[in-house]
Amino acid sequence: MDLQEIASKQILDSIQTKKDVLDTLLPQIVQAGQIASEVLEKGNMILFCGNGGSSCDASHIAAELVVRYKSGNERRALPAISLSSDSAVLTACSNDYGYEDVFARQVQAFGKPGDLLVGLSTSGNSKNVISATEAAKKLGMKTISFLGGDGGKLKGMADLDIIIPRKETARIQESHILIGHIICSIIEQQLFQLS
């Protein structure tokens, strides 16, 4: 296979994945946007967590809310945080308690009833995202999971699952960031009437 074939195959796979997301997940995506909008409208906060590339996606989506999603959409900053961003907390908790607790410990510190936890796990089996979801539920927070494949162990744990129907991590992550952007767009429209 030559390099152009490699590139075109990935682009076509990405397009097909997004078509499948459009055909099967649109109601869940809109619902996630509505849940996030309601949480923020009530003055609550959104917490994001994930590992590896999902960690970057968590930080990316949180930044879109704190700063702004669309250039030119001037609005107030929205309370969102990525639990993957503080290296001191991550390393201290990993050392003192174990990596499984790095997000749950932060949920216990920052989360409160009515807040929202969005956990990203392409496999659905990330132990620290599972622990964070359990901690959030105990606190009375709302929960959304961005998953892939069959949803893994996280499937059914959150209030709402968005499961990308693919096994390839890259296709799942591309779809997760697209869905994160759509949710940001819904929030800016719902709260500020910005398109």
Side-chain angles (χ1 to χ4, degrees), residues 25 28-29 32 144-147 160-164 176 179:
L25 294 173
Q28 292 96 317
I29 295 167
I144 297 174
S145 291
F146 284 22
L147 309 170
L160 176 65
D161 293 331
I162 299 177
I163 305 172
I164 308 304
H176 282 175
I179 292 165

Side-chain angles (χ1 to χ4, degrees), residues 10-29:
Q10 292 212 24
I11 292 168
L12 291 171
D13 285 350
S14 184
I15 291 167
Q16 186 58 54
T17 300
K18 290 181 177 81
K19 284 182 179 178
D20 293 345
V21 166
L22 178 63
D23 291 342
T24 62
L25 294 173
L26 196 58
Q28 292 96 317
I29 295 167

Side-chain angles (χ1 to χ4, degrees), residues 75-105:
R75 57 155 173 84
R76 66 178 169 84
L78 296 170
I81 187 170
S82 171
L83 304 181
S84 308
S85 297
D86 190 328
S87 61
V89 170
L90 294 174
T91 56
C93 189
S94 294
N95 186 62
D96 294 354
Y97 293 101
Y99 195 66
E100 283 184 28
D101 292 325
V102 295
F103 301 138
R105 191 79 175 163

Side-chain angles (χ1 to χ4, degrees), residues 90-135:
L90 294 174
T91 56
C93 189
S94 294
N95 186 62
D96 294 354
Y97 293 101
Y99 195 66
E100 283 184 28
D101 292 325
V102 295
F103 301 138
R105 191 79 175 163
Q106 293 180 80
V107 167
Q108 293 162 359
F110 303 121
K112 61 185 185 305
D115 286 348
L116 170 63
L117 175 73
V118 179
L120 293 84
S121 174
T122 58
S123 68
N125 295 316
S126 302
K127 292 178 182 177
N128 53 10
V129 179
I130 291 169
S131 295
T133 302
E134 291 170 342

Side-chain angles (χ1 to χ4, degrees), residues 3 7 11 29 37 52 65 128-129 151 171 185 187:
L3 298 181
I11 292 168
I29 295 167
S37 296
L65 295 175
N128 53 10
V129 179
R171 301 295 85 85
S185 185
I187 289 168

